[in-house]
Amino acid sequence: QKEVEQNSGPLSVPEGAIASLNCTYSDRGSQSFFWYRQYSGKSPELIMFIYSNGDKEDGRFTAQLNKASQYVSLLIRDSQPSDSATYLCAVRTSGGSYIPTFGRGTSLIVHP
Amino acid sequence: EAGVTQFPSHSVIEKGQTVTLRCDPISGHDNLYWYRRVMGKEIKFLLHFVKESKQDESGMPNNRFLAERTGGTYSTLKVQPAELEDSGVYFCASSQELASTVDEQFFGPGTRLTVL
């Protein structure tokens, strides 16, 4: 059974700090990795995707992928109170299935 | 451009009753997905439509759940009869094409279903 594990948190960081969110996955055949942000009562919103080993940067967000260790992370630099949300990791295998497996999400709180 | 919309936003019903959830995908998106999140658990896949055809319904929990997408536009998910364990948030998502590594799925705001 494919599993995606995340620490539920909450992860609390001060404004301006780097928030580091981690995700591990069990299926070695996983090819695509996604980070969604979900504000309370709102829909999940895709903020980053990565499918090659290494780092991918987009503004204040950096996704890091290590397939050998089956580990994907999301770094948020210069964290703002508006970044406070639940961050969902989702993983998708290749081979014709486009259905992602989600983790339970990590709650991030950025305090002023 | 309008996003994915879902109706109703909340539904409270009694065990044994029937509820129908509706999803309107983004216009032009052939792919439509239903997911469910039970409290404290992860979002789990229910089924996937490509236009009006069910591509994958491996996540449907049992035959009390019936999904349709007549005409390949909006979709409905009916639960009949509802049980207590059906409570949760039902999300709909849509995407434009599958021939993409990303296949970005756009989620709706969800329908919170409570079965008493």
Side-chain angles (χ1 to χ4, degrees):
Chain A
Q1 185 174 348
K2 304 172 188 174
E3 292 183 347
V4 177
E5 300 288 342
Q6 293 181 258
N7 188 321
S8 62
L11 173 65
S12 182
V13 300
E15 183 174 356
I18 295 175
S20 178
L21 304 161
N22 305 315
C23 173
T24 59
Y25 58 94
S26 63
D27 185 359
R28 284 196 171 275
S30 299
Q31 296 290 322
S32 307
F33 307 85
F34 305 85
W35 283 100
Y36 287 83
R37 177 178 61 201
Q38 185 178 21
Y39 293 112
S40 181
K42 303 295 185 181
S43 53
E45 174 194 9
L46 182 67
I47 55 171
M48 288 286 285
F49 67 89
I50 187 168
Y51 44 84
S52 299
N53 271 328
D55 294 0
K56 179 181 178 182
E57 187 174 318
D58 183 1
R60 295 186 297 111
F61 298 98
T62 298
Q64 299 177 317
L65 175 61
N66 184 325
K67 289 186 178 180
S69 299
Q70 295 176 241
Y71 177 97
V72 58
S73 64
L74 179 70
L75 301 179
I76 306 175
R77 289 182 300 281
D78 188 25
S79 296
Q80 301 297 308
S82 59
D83 294 326
S84 299
T86 296
Y87 290 80
L88 304 169
C89 173
V91 173
R92 204 173 72 195
T93 58
S94 62
S97 173
Y98 290 86
I99 307 305
T101 299
F102 285 85
R104 297 187 183 188
T106 297
S107 174
L108 172 66
I109 299 172
V110 181
H111 52 88
Chain B
E1 178 182 319
V4 177
T5 58
Q6 292 186 245
F7 182 84
S9 57
H10 294 82
S11 180
V12 180
I13 61 173
E14 292 188 350
K15 175 182 172 181
Q17 289 186 320
T18 298
V19 62
T20 300
L21 314 180
R22 173 171 170 145
C23 168
D24 286 79
I26 293 173
S27 177
H29 281 194
D30 288 341
N31 298 288
L32 188 149
Y33 307 81
W34 282 99
Y35 295 89
R36 176 174 71 176
R37 184 167 193 170
V38 173
M39 185 178 291
K41 303 285 189 180
E42 65 275 17
I43 294 174
K44 285 203 167 180
F45 166 76
L46 296 178
L47 89 160
H48 169 209
F49 284 99
V50 177
K51 297 184 180 178
E52 67 276 8
S53 300
K54 292 177 185 174
Q55 181 77 10
D56 182 350
E57 51 184 328
S58 61
M60 294 287 264
N62 52 59
N63 59 10
R64 295 186 293 103
F65 289 74
L66 176 64
E68 295 180 324
R69 192 183 182 194
T70 306
T73 54
Y74 70 91
S75 174
T76 58
L77 179 65
K78 180 190 288 187
V79 185
Q80 180 182 28
E83 298 289 346
L84 299 178
E85 64 265 25
D86 300 332
S87 296
V89 181
Y90 289 77
F91 289 103
C92 175
S94 72
S95 68
Q96 193 162 28
E97 58 182 284
L98 294 177
S100 161
T101 304
V102 178
D103 179 41
E104 181 174 0
Q105 296 185 19
F106 295 85
F107 280 76
T111 293
R112 181 174 296 277
L113 174 64
T114 302
V115 182
L116 301 176

